Amino acid sequence: MPKMKSHTGMGKRVKVTGKGKIVAQQAGLRHNLEKKSSTRTRRLSGTVEVAKADFKRIKKLLAR
């Protein structure tokens, strides 16, 4: 059976930490920023750990 190829698009969107956690950029910071408060935009900046519901699916796409 051939090796499983990793999903290149997913590889660009997420990062696997040393402990095996998957971190990604938080959603909601691309457009309509004028109507969002500064507090909200600050909170949305930076990376966060991926939700437990998505973890299995993303891990499969990364072929890990």
Side-chain angles (χ1 to χ4, degrees):
M1 186 125 196
K3 283 185 182 175
M4 186 77 175
K5 283 191 178 181
S6 59
H7 193 284
T8 50
M10 187 51 74
K12 292 169 188 178
R13 285 166 172 80
V14 297
K15 179 179 169 254
V16 182
T17 63
K19 285 192 172 183
K21 291 177 184 175
I22 298 173
V23 289
Q25 188 71 33
Q26 203 148 317
L29 206 61
R30 290 284 179 207
H31 59 84
N32 297 346
L33 296 172
E34 275 186 342
K35 62 174 78 169
K36 291 170 190 168
S37 66
S38 302
T39 316
R40 188 167 161 194
T41 53
R42 263 199 312 277
R43 185 181 57 78
L44 291 170
S45 69
T47 55
V48 286
E49 200 177 334
V50 167
K52 195 179 174 187
D54 300 323
F55 188 80
K56 195 176 178 182
R57 180 176 56 86
I58 292 170
K59 211 168 180 177
K60 195 175 179 183
L61 286 168
L62 294 174
R64 287 184 158 259

